[in-house]
Coordinates of all heavy atoms in Angstrom, one line a residue:
M90 N -15.5 -2.3 2.9 CA -16.0 -3.0 1.8 C -15.9 -4.5 2.0 O -15.0 -5.0 2.5 CB -15.2 -2.6 0.5 CG -15.5 -1.2 0.1 SD -14.7 -0.9 -1.5 CE -13.8 0.5 -1.1
V91 N -17.0 -5.2 1.5 CA -17.0 -6.6 1.5 C -17.4 -7.1 0.1 O -18.4 -6.7 -0.5 CB -18.0 -7.1 2.6 CG1 -18.1 -8.7 2.4 CG2 -17.7 -6.7 4.0
F92 N -16.5 -7.8 -0.5 CA -16.6 -8.3 -1.8 C -17.3 -9.7 -1.8 O -16.8 -10.6 -1.3 CB -15.4 -8.5 -2.6 CG -14.7 -7.2 -2.8 CD1 -13.9 -6.6 -1.9 CD2 -14.8 -6.5 -4.1 CE1 -13.3 -5.4 -2.1 CE2 -14.3 -5.2 -4.2 CZ -13.5 -4.7 -3.3
L93 N -18.6 -9.8 -2.2 CA -19.3 -11.0 -2.3 C -19.4 -11.4 -3.8 O -19.2 -10.7 -4.7 CB -20.8 -10.8 -1.7 CG -20.7 -10.4 -0.2 CD1 -22.2 -10.1 0.2 CD2 -20.2 -11.5 0.6
P94 N -19.9 -12.6 -4.1 CA -20.0 -13.1 -5.4 C -20.8 -12.2 -6.3 O -20.5 -12.1 -7.6 CB -20.5 -14.5 -5.3 CG -20.2 -15.0 -4.0 CD -20.2 -13.7 -3.1
D95 N -21.9 -11.6 -5.8 CA -22.9 -10.9 -6.7 C -22.9 -9.5 -6.4 O -23.5 -8.7 -7.2 CB -24.2 -11.6 -6.7 CG -24.8 -11.6 -5.4 OD1 -24.1 -11.4 -4.4 OD2 -26.0 -11.8 -5.2
K96 N -22.4 -9.0 -5.3 CA -22.5 -7.6 -4.9 C -21.3 -7.1 -4.1 O -20.6 -7.9 -3.6 CB -23.8 -7.3 -4.0 CG -25.1 -7.8 -4.6 CD -25.9 -6.5 -4.6 CE -27.3 -6.9 -5.1 NZ -27.7 -6.4 -6.4
L97 N -21.2 -5.8 -4.0 CA -20.1 -5.1 -3.2 C -20.9 -4.5 -2.2 O -21.7 -3.6 -2.4 CB -19.3 -4.2 -4.0 CG -18.4 -3.3 -3.3 CD1 -17.3 -4.2 -2.6 CD2 -17.7 -2.3 -4.2
F98 N -20.7 -4.9 -0.9 CA -21.3 -4.2 0.3 C -20.3 -3.1 0.8 O -19.1 -3.3 0.9 CB -21.5 -5.1 1.4 CG -22.8 -5.9 1.2 CD1 -23.2 -6.9 2.2 CD2 -23.7 -5.9 0.1 CE1 -24.4 -7.6 2.0 CE2 -24.7 -6.5 0.0 CZ -25.2 -7.5 0.9
V99 N -20.8 -1.9 1.0 CA -20.0 -0.8 1.5 C -20.5 -0.4 2.9 O -21.7 -0.1 3.1 CB -20.1 0.4 0.5 CG1 -19.2 1.5 1.1 CG2 -19.6 0.0 -0.9
F100 N -19.7 -0.4 3.8 CA -20.0 0.0 5.2 C -19.3 1.4 5.5 O -18.1 1.4 5.4 CB -19.6 -1.0 6.3 CG -20.2 -2.3 6.1 CD1 -19.5 -3.3 5.3 CD2 -21.4 -2.7 6.7 CE1 -20.1 -4.6 5.1 CE2 -21.9 -3.9 6.5 CZ -21.3 -4.8 5.7
Q101 N -20.1 2.4 5.8 CA -19.5 3.7 6.1 C -20.4 4.5 7.1 O -21.6 4.7 6.9 CB -19.3 4.5 4.8 CG -18.6 5.8 5.0 CD -18.3 6.5 3.7 OE1 -18.9 6.2 2.7 NE2 -17.4 7.5 3.8
S102 N -19.8 5.0 8.2 CA -20.5 5.8 9.2 C -21.8 5.2 9.6 O -22.8 5.9 9.7 CB -20.8 7.2 8.6 OG -19.6 7.8 8.2
G103 N -21.8 3.9 9.9 CA -23.0 3.2 10.4 C -24.0 2.8 9.3 O -25.1 2.4 9.7
K104 N -23.7 3.2 8.1 CA -24.7 2.9 7.0 C -24.1 1.8 6.1 O -23.0 1.6 6.1 CB -24.9 4.1 6.1 CG -25.5 5.3 6.9 CD -25.7 6.5 5.9 CE -26.3 7.6 6.7 NZ -26.4 8.8 5.9
I105 N -25.1 1.0 5.5 CA -24.7 0.0 4.6 C -25.2 0.2 3.2 O -26.4 0.5 3.1 CB -25.2 -1.4 5.1 CG1 -24.6 -1.7 6.5 CG2 -24.9 -2.6 4.2 CD1 -25.3 -2.9 7.2
G106 N -24.4 0.0 2.2 CA -24.9 0.1 0.8 C -24.4 -1.1 0.1 O -23.5 -1.8 0.3
A107 N -25.2 -1.4 -1.0 CA -24.9 -2.6 -1.9 C -24.8 -2.1 -3.4 O -25.6 -1.3 -3.8 CB -25.9 -3.6 -1.7
L108 N -23.8 -2.5 -4.0 CA -23.6 -2.1 -5.4 C -23.4 -3.4 -6.3 O -22.7 -4.3 -5.8 CB -22.3 -1.3 -5.6 CG -22.4 0.1 -5.0 CD1 -21.0 0.7 -5.0 CD2 -23.3 1.0 -5.8
N109 N -24.0 -3.3 -7.4 CA -23.7 -4.4 -8.5 C -22.4 -4.2 -9.0 O -21.9 -3.0 -9.2 CB -24.8 -4.4 -9.6 CG -26.1 -4.8 -9.1 OD1 -26.4 -5.7 -8.3 ND2 -27.1 -4.0 -9.5
Y110 N -21.7 -5.2 -9.4 CA -20.3 -5.0 -9.9 C -20.4 -4.3 -11.3 O -19.4 -3.7 -11.6 CB -19.6 -6.5 -10.1 CG -19.2 -6.9 -8.8 CD1 -19.8 -8.1 -8.2 CD2 -18.2 -6.4 -8.1 CE1 -19.3 -8.6 -7.0 CE2 -17.7 -6.8 -6.8 CZ -18.3 -7.9 -6.3 OH -17.9 -8.4 -5.1
S111 N -21.5 -4.4 -12.0 CA -21.6 -3.7 -13.3 C -21.7 -2.2 -13.0 O -21.5 -1.5 -14.1 CB -22.8 -4.2 -14.0 OG -24.0 -4.0 -13.2
D112 N -22.0 -1.7 -11.8 CA -22.1 -0.3 -11.5 C -20.8 0.3 -11.0 O -20.7 1.5 -10.7 CB -23.2 -0.1 -10.5 CG -24.5 -0.5 -11.0 OD1 -24.7 -0.5 -12.3 OD2 -25.3 -0.9 -10.2
I113 N -19.7 -0.5 -10.9 CA -18.4 0.1 -10.5 C -17.4 -0.2 -11.4 O -17.4 -1.0 -12.3 CB -18.0 -0.6 -9.1 CG1 -17.8 -2.1 -9.2 CG2 -19.1 -0.3 -8.0 CD1 -17.2 -2.8 -8.0
T114 N -16.3 0.6 -11.3 CA -15.1 0.5 -12.1 C -13.9 0.4 -11.1 O -14.0 1.0 -10.0 CB -14.8 1.6 -13.1 OG1 -14.8 2.9 -12.3 CG2 -16.0 1.8 -14.1
T115 N -13.0 -0.4 -11.5 CA -11.8 -0.6 -10.6 C -10.5 -0.3 -11.4 O -10.5 -0.4 -12.6 CB -11.7 -2.0 -10.1 OG1 -11.7 -2.9 -11.2 CG2 -12.9 -2.4 -9.2
E116 N -9.5 0.1 -10.7 CA -8.2 0.4 -11.2 C -7.2 -0.2 -10.2 O -7.3 0.1 -9.0 CB -8.1 1.9 -11.5 CG -6.8 2.3 -12.1 CD -6.7 3.8 -12.2 OE1 -7.7 4.6 -12.0 OE2 -5.6 4.3 -12.5
V117 N -6.2 -0.8 -10.7 CA -5.1 -1.3 -9.8 C -3.8 -0.7 -10.3 O -3.5 -0.7 -11.5 CB -5.1 -2.9 -9.8 CG1 -3.9 -3.3 -8.9 CG2 -6.5 -3.5 -9.4
R118 N -3.1 -0.2 -9.3 CA -1.7 0.4 -9.6 C -0.7 -0.2 -8.6 O -1.0 -0.6 -7.5 CB -1.7 1.9 -9.4 CG -2.6 2.6 -10.3 CD -2.4 4.1 -10.1 NE -3.6 4.9 -10.7 CZ -4.0 6.1 -10.3 NH1 -3.2 6.7 -9.3 NH2 -4.9 6.6 -10.9
G119 N 0.6 -0.2 -9.0 CA 1.6 -0.5 -8.1 C 1.9 0.7 -7.2 O 1.8 1.7 -7.5
Q120 N 2.2 0.3 -5.9 CA 2.5 1.3 -4.9 C 3.8 0.9 -4.2 O 3.9 -0.1 -3.6 CB 1.3 1.4 -4.0 CG 1.6 2.3 -2.8 CD 1.6 3.8 -3.2 OE1 0.7 4.2 -3.9 NE2 2.6 4.6 -2.7
R121 N 4.8 1.8 -4.3 CA 6.1 1.5 -3.6 C 5.9 1.8 -2.1 O 5.3 2.9 -1.7 CB 7.2 2.3 -4.2 CG 7.6 1.9 -5.6 CD 8.5 2.9 -6.2 NE 9.8 3.1 -5.5 CZ 11.0 2.5 -5.7 NH1 11.1 1.7 -6.8 NH2 12.0 2.7 -4.9
F122 N 6.4 1.0 -1.2 CA 6.2 1.2 0.2 C 7.5 0.8 0.9 O 8.0 -0.2 0.7 CB 5.0 0.3 0.7 CG 4.7 0.5 2.2 CD1 4.0 1.6 2.6 CD2 5.1 -0.4 3.2 CE1 3.7 1.8 4.0 CE2 4.9 -0.1 4.5 CZ 4.1 0.9 4.9
I123 N 8.1 1.7 1.8 CA 9.2 1.5 2.6 C 8.7 0.6 3.7 O 8.0 1.1 4.6 CB 9.9 2.8 3.0 CG1 10.3 3.6 1.8 CG2 11.0 2.4 3.9 CD1 10.9 4.9 2.1
E124 N 9.2 -0.7 3.8 CA 8.8 -1.6 4.7 C 9.7 -1.6 5.9 O 10.8 -2.2 5.8 CB 8.6 -3.0 4.1 CG 7.9 -4.0 4.9 CD 6.4 -3.7 5.3 OE1 5.7 -4.0 4.4 OE2 6.2 -3.2 6.4
D125 N 9.3 -1.0 7.0 CA 10.3 -0.9 8.2 C 10.0 -2.1 9.1 O 10.7 -2.3 10.1 CB 10.0 0.4 8.9 CG 11.2 0.8 9.9 OD1 12.2 0.3 9.7 OD2 10.9 1.5 10.9
E126 N 9.1 -2.9 8.8 CA 8.8 -4.1 9.7 C 9.1 -5.3 8.9 O 9.7 -5.2 7.8 CB 7.4 -4.1 10.1 CG 7.0 -3.0 11.0 CD 5.6 -3.0 11.4 OE1 4.9 -4.0 11.2 OE2 5.1 -2.0 12.0
K127 N 8.8 -6.5 9.2 CA 9.1 -7.7 8.6 C 8.4 -7.7 7.2 O 7.2 -7.4 7.0 CB 8.6 -8.9 9.4 CG 9.0 -10.2 8.8 CD 8.7 -11.4 9.7 CE 9.0 -12.7 9.0 NZ 8.6 -13.9 9.8
V128 N 9.1 -8.2 6.2 CA 8.7 -8.2 4.8 C 7.8 -9.5 4.7 O 8.3 -10.5 4.9 CB 9.8 -8.2 3.8 CG1 9.3 -8.2 2.4 CG2 10.6 -6.8 3.9
P129 N 6.5 -9.4 4.1 CA 5.7 -10.5 3.9 C 6.4 -11.5 2.9 O 7.2 -11.0 2.0 CB 4.4 -10.0 3.4 CG 4.3 -8.6 3.9 CD 5.8 -8.2 3.9
K130 N 6.2 -12.8 3.0 CA 6.8 -13.7 2.1 C 6.5 -13.5 0.6 O 7.3 -13.8 -0.2 CB 6.4 -15.1 2.5 CG 7.0 -15.6 3.7 CD 6.5 -17.1 4.1 CE 6.9 -17.5 5.4 NZ 6.4 -18.9 5.7
D131 N 5.2 -13.0 0.3 CA 4.9 -12.9 -1.0 C 5.2 -11.4 -1.6 O 4.7 -11.1 -2.7 CB 3.4 -13.2 -1.2 CG 2.4 -12.3 -0.4 OD1 2.9 -11.7 0.5 OD2 1.3 -12.4 -0.7
A132 N 5.8 -10.6 -0.8 CA 6.1 -9.2 -1.2 C 7.2 -9.2 -2.2 O 8.1 -10.0 -2.2 CB 6.4 -8.4 0.0
K133 N 7.1 -8.2 -3.1 CA 8.2 -8.1 -4.1 C 9.0 -6.9 -3.7 O 8.6 -5.8 -3.7 CB 7.6 -7.9 -5.6 CG 8.7 -7.7 -6.6 CD 8.0 -7.6 -8.0 CE 9.1 -7.5 -9.1 NZ 8.4 -7.3 -10.4
V134 N 10.4 -7.2 -3.4 CA 11.3 -6.2 -3.0 C 11.9 -5.6 -4.3 O 12.5 -6.2 -5.1 CB 12.4 -6.7 -2.1 CG1 13.4 -5.6 -1.7 CG2 11.8 -7.3 -0.9
V135 N 11.7 -4.3 -4.5 CA 12.1 -3.6 -5.7 C 13.3 -2.7 -5.5 O 13.9 -2.2 -6.5 CB 10.9 -2.8 -6.4 CG1 9.9 -3.8 -6.9 CG2 10.4 -1.8 -5.5
D136 N 13.6 -2.4 -4.3 CA 14.7 -1.4 -4.1 C 15.1 -1.5 -2.6 O 14.3 -2.2 -1.8 CB 14.3 0.0 -4.5 CG 15.5 0.9 -4.8 OD1 16.6 0.5 -4.6 OD2 15.3 2.0 -5.1
Y137 N 16.1 -0.8 -2.1 CA 16.5 -0.6 -0.8 C 16.8 0.9 -0.5 O 17.2 1.6 -1.4 CB 17.7 -1.4 -0.4 CG 17.4 -2.9 -0.4 CD1 17.5 -3.7 -1.6 CD2 17.0 -3.5 0.8 CE1 17.3 -5.1 -1.5 CE2 16.7 -4.8 0.9 CZ 16.9 -5.6 -0.3 OH 16.6 -7.0 -0.2
T138 N 16.6 1.3 0.7 CA 16.8 2.7 1.1 C 17.5 2.5 2.5 O 17.8 1.4 3.0 CB 15.6 3.5 1.2 OG1 16.1 4.9 1.4 CG2 14.6 3.1 2.2
W139 N 17.9 3.6 3.1 CA 18.5 3.6 4.4 C 17.5 4.1 5.5 O 16.7 5.0 5.1 CB 19.7 4.5 4.4 CG 20.8 4.0 3.5 CD1 21.0 4.3 2.2 CD2 21.7 2.9 3.8 NE1 22.1 3.6 1.6 CE2 22.5 2.7 2.6 CE3 21.9 2.0 4.9 CZ2 23.4 1.7 2.5 CZ3 23.0 1.1 4.8 CH2 23.7 0.9 3.6
K140 N 17.6 3.7 6.7 CA 16.7 4.2 7.8 C 17.0 5.7 7.9 O 16.0 6.5 8.0 CB 17.2 3.5 9.1 CG 16.2 3.9 10.2 CD 16.5 3.1 11.5 CE 15.6 3.5 12.6 NZ 15.9 2.7 13.8
Y141 N 18.2 6.2 7.8 CA 18.5 7.6 7.8 C 19.3 7.9 6.5 O 20.3 7.4 6.2 CB 19.3 8.0 9.0 CG 18.7 7.6 10.3 CD1 19.2 6.5 11.1 CD2 17.6 8.3 10.8 CE1 18.6 6.2 12.3 CE2 17.1 8.0 12.1 CZ 17.5 6.9 12.7 OH 16.9 6.5 13.9
V142 N 18.7 8.9 5.7 CA 19.2 9.1 4.4 C 19.8 10.6 4.4 O 19.2 11.4 4.9 CB 18.0 9.0 3.3 CG1 18.7 9.3 1.9 CG2 17.5 7.7 3.4
N143 N 21.0 10.8 3.7 CA 21.5 12.1 3.7 C 20.9 12.8 2.4 O 20.2 12.1 1.6 CB 23.1 12.1 3.7 CG 23.6 11.3 2.5 OD1 23.0 11.2 1.5 ND2 24.8 10.9 2.7
K144 N 21.3 14.0 2.2 CA 20.7 14.8 1.0 C 21.0 14.1 -0.4 O 20.2 14.2 -1.3 CB 21.2 16.2 1.1 CG 20.6 16.9 2.1 CD 21.1 18.4 2.1 CE 20.6 19.2 3.3 NZ 21.1 20.6 3.3
S145 N 22.1 13.4 -0.5 CA 22.5 12.9 -1.8 C 21.8 11.5 -2.0 O 22.0 10.9 -3.1 CB 24.0 12.7 -1.8 OG 24.4 11.7 -0.9
G146 N 21.1 11.0 -0.9 CA 20.4 9.7 -1.1 C 21.1 8.6 -0.5 O 20.6 7.5 -0.5
G147 N 22.3 8.8 0.0 CA 23.1 7.7 0.5 C 22.9 7.5 2.0 O 22.1 8.3 2.6
A148 N 23.6 6.6 2.6 CA 23.4 6.5 4.1 C 24.0 7.6 4.9 O 25.1 8.1 4.6 CB 24.1 5.2 4.5
D149 N 23.2 8.0 5.9 CA 23.8 9.1 6.8 C 24.6 8.4 7.8 O 24.2 7.7 8.7 CB 22.6 9.8 7.5 CG 23.0 11.1 8.1 OD1 24.2 11.2 8.6 OD2 22.1 12.0 8.3
K150 N 25.9 8.7 7.7 CA 27.0 8.0 8.5 C 27.0 8.5 10.0 O 27.8 8.0 10.8 CB 28.3 8.2 7.9 CG 28.3 7.7 6.5 CD 29.5 6.8 6.2 CE 29.5 6.5 4.6 NZ 29.4 5.2 4.3
R151 N 26.2 9.5 10.3 CA 26.1 10.0 11.7 C 25.5 9.1 12.7 O 25.5 9.1 13.9 CB 25.4 11.4 11.8 CG 26.2 12.4 11.0 CD 25.5 13.8 11.1 NE 24.2 13.6 10.3 CZ 23.2 14.5 10.3 NH1 23.3 15.6 11.0 NH2 22.1 14.3 9.6
F152 N 24.7 8.1 12.1 CA 23.9 7.1 12.9 C 24.5 5.7 12.8 O 24.7 5.2 11.8 CB 22.5 7.1 12.4 CG 21.8 8.4 12.5 CD1 21.8 9.3 11.4 CD2 21.1 8.8 13.6 CE1 21.1 10.5 11.5 CE2 20.5 10.0 13.7 CZ 20.5 10.9 12.6
K153 N 24.8 5.2 14.0 CA 25.4 3.8 14.1 C 24.4 2.8 13.6 O 24.8 1.8 13.0 CB 25.8 3.5 15.5 CG 27.1 4.1 16.0 CD 27.2 3.7 17.4 CE 28.6 3.5 17.8 NZ 28.7 3.2 19.3
D154 N 23.1 2.9 14.0 CA 22.2 1.9 13.7 C 21.5 2.2 12.4 O 20.3 1.7 12.1 CB 21.1 1.8 14.8 CG 20.2 3.1 14.9 OD1 20.7 4.2 14.5 OD2 19.1 3.1 15.5
N155 N 22.2 2.8 11.4 CA 21.5 3.1 10.1 C 21.6 1.8 9.3 O 22.6 1.4 8.8 CB 22.3 4.2 9.5 CG 21.5 4.8 8.3 OD1 20.4 4.4 8.1 ND2 22.1 5.7 7.6
R156 N 20.5 1.2 9.1 CA 20.4 -0.1 8.4 C 19.7 0.1 7.0 O 18.9 1.0 6.9 CB 19.8 -1.2 9.2 CG 18.4 -0.9 9.6 CD 17.8 -1.9 10.5 NE 16.5 -1.5 11.1 CZ 15.4 -1.8 10.5 NH1 15.4 -2.4 9.3 NH2 14.2 -1.3 11.0
K157 N 19.9 -0.8 6.2 CA 19.1 -0.8 4.9 C 17.7 -1.3 5.2 O 17.5 -2.2 5.9 CB 19.8 -1.8 3.9 CG 20.9 -1.2 3.0 CD 21.3 -2.3 2.0 CE 22.1 -1.5 0.9 NZ 22.5 -2.5 -0.1
I158 N 16.8 -0.7 4.5 CA 15.4 -1.0 4.6 C 14.8 -1.3 3.2 O 15.1 -0.6 2.2 CB 14.6 0.2 5.2 CG1 15.1 0.5 6.6 CG2 13.1 -0.2 5.3 CD1 14.5 1.8 7.2
P159 N 14.1 -2.4 3.1 CA 13.5 -2.8 1.7 C 12.4 -1.9 1.3 O 11.6 -1.4 2.1 CB 13.1 -4.2 1.9 CG 12.9 -4.4 3.4 CD 13.8 -3.5 4.1
V160 N 12.3 -1.6 0.0 CA 11.2 -1.0 -0.5 C 10.4 -2.0 -1.3 O 10.9 -2.7 -2.2 CB 11.7 0.2 -1.5 CG1 10.5 0.8 -2.1 CG2 12.5 1.1 -0.7
C161 N 9.2 -2.2 -0.9 CA 8.4 -3.3 -1.6 C 7.4 -2.7 -2.6 O 7.0 -1.5 -2.4 CB 7.6 -4.1 -0.5 SG 8.7 -5.0 0.6
L162 N 7.0 -3.5 -3.5 CA 5.9 -3.1 -4.5 C 4.6 -3.8 -4.1 O 4.6 -5.0 -4.2 CB 6.3 -3.4 -5.9 CG 5.4 -2.9 -7.0 CD1 5.3 -1.4 -7.0 CD2 5.8 -3.5 -8.4
Y163 N 3.7 -3.0 -3.7 CA 2.3 -3.5 -3.3 C 1.3 -3.0 -4.3 O 1.6 -2.2 -5.0 CB 2.0 -3.1 -1.9 CG 2.8 -3.7 -0.8 CD1 3.4 -2.8 0.1 CD2 3.0 -5.0 -0.6 CE1 4.1 -3.4 1.2 CE2 3.7 -5.6 0.3 CZ 4.3 -4.7 1.3 OH 5.1 -5.3 2.3
G164 N 0.1 -3.7 -4.3 CA -0.9 -3.3 -5.1 C -1.9 -2.3 -4.5 O -2.1 -2.4 -3.2
K165 N -2.3 -1.3 -5.1 CA -3.3 -0.3 -4.6 C -4.5 -0.3 -5.5 O -4.4 -0.1 -6.7 CB -2.7 1.1 -4.6 CG -3.4 2.1 -3.8 CD -2.7 3.4 -3.8 CE -3.3 4.4 -2.9 NZ -2.6 5.6 -2.7
M166 N -5.6 -0.6 -4.9 CA -6.9 -0.7 -5.8 C -7.8 0.5 -5.6 O -8.1 0.8 -4.4 CB -7.7 -2.0 -5.4 CG -8.8 -2.3 -6.2 SD -9.5 -4.0 -5.7 CE -11.0 -4.0 -6.6
F167 N -8.2 1.0 -6.6 CA -9.2 2.2 -6.6 C -10.6 1.6 -7.1 O -10.6 1.0 -8.1 CB -8.8 3.3 -7.5 CG -7.4 3.9 -7.1 CD1 -6.2 3.4 -7.6 CD2 -7.4 5.0 -6.2 CE1 -5.0 3.9 -7.1 CE2 -6.2 5.5 -5.8 CZ -5.0 5.0 -6.3
V168 N -11.7 1.9 -6.3 CA -12.9 1.5 -6.7 C -13.8 2.8 -6.8 O -13.9 3.6 -5.9 CB -13.6 0.6 -5.6 CG1 -15.0 0.1 -6.0 CG2 -12.7 -0.7 -5.3
H169 N -14.5 2.9 -8.0 CA -15.3 4.1 -8.3 C -16.7 3.7 -8.7 O -16.9 2.6 -9.3 CB -14.7 4.9 -9.5 CG -13.3 5.2 -9.3 ND1 -12.9 6.3 -8.6 CD2 -12.1 4.6 -9.7 CE1 -11.5 6.3 -8.6 NE2 -11.1 5.3 -9.3
S170 N -17.6 4.5 -8.4 CA -19.0 4.4 -9.0 C -19.7 5.7 -9.3 O -19.2 6.7 -8.7 CB -19.8 3.5 -8.1 OG -20.3 4.2 -7.0
D171 N -20.7 5.7 -10.1 CA -21.4 6.9 -10.4 C -22.2 7.4 -9.2 O -22.6 8.5 -9.1 CB -22.3 6.8 -11.6 CG -21.5 6.6 -12.9 OD1 -20.4 7.1 -12.9 OD2 -22.1 6.1 -13.9
S172 N -22.5 6.5 -8.3 CA -23.2 6.8 -7.0 C -22.4 7.4 -6.0 O -23.0 7.8 -4.9 CB -24.0 5.6 -6.5 OG -23.0 4.6 -6.0
G173 N -21.1 7.6 -6.2 CA -20.3 8.4 -5.2 C -19.4 7.6 -4.4 O -18.8 8.0 -3.5
L174 N -19.2 6.3 -4.7 CA -18.3 5.5 -4.0 C -16.8 5.9 -4.3 O -16.5 6.1 -5.5 CB -18.4 4.0 -4.4 CG -17.3 3.0 -3.8 CD1 -17.5 3.0 -2.3 CD2 -17.6 1.7 -4.3

């Protein structure tokens, strides 16, 4: 998808489609994500977990390299249209 000032271009399977913004609806939700790599500067850290978790949710002490891993809150955007997008 490419968002332009007046249209939304959709590229799929070698085909191109264009939609007016008035023909689409969008929905944005928060999405929790366990970030095992470097956390982006603008990411919001909402929780922490362990690399290896035991059944009770705590750190699994059998692993020496069991470190805390941040859980970030990212945005997830849904785009819908009556034409099947």
Side-chain angles (χ1 to χ4, degrees):
M90 285 189 235
V91 176
F92 293 86
L93 298 175
D95 58 341
K96 298 239 187 248
L97 171 66
F98 281 179
V99 181
F100 300 88
Q101 186 175 15
S102 303
K104 297 179 181 178
I105 301 173
L108 293 168
N109 293 317
Y110 286 111
S111 60
D112 296 332
I113 64 172
T114 57
T115 59
E116 180 183 351
V117 178
R118 295 184 199 159
Q120 175 71 45
R121 291 171 58 102
F122 183 80
I123 298 171
E124 190 62 81
D125 197 24
E126 297 179 9
K127 186 177 178 183
V128 176
K130 290 180 185 178
D131 61 344
K133 182 176 182 181
V134 178
V135 294
D136 202 357
Y137 288 91
T138 188
W139 298 97
K140 184 175 180 181
Y141 303 104
V142 181
N143 61 25
K144 289 181 183 180
S145 67
D149 192 333
K150 305 226 186 240
R151 296 177 294 171
F152 299 92
K153 281 177 147 180
D154 65 338
N155 196 4
R156 60 185 173 84
K157 271 188 168 180
I158 299 174
V160 179
C161 297
L162 184 64
Y163 293 129
K165 189 172 188 177
M166 183 175 175
F167 299 89
V168 182
H169 308 274
S170 77
D171 290 336
S172 63
L174 173 65

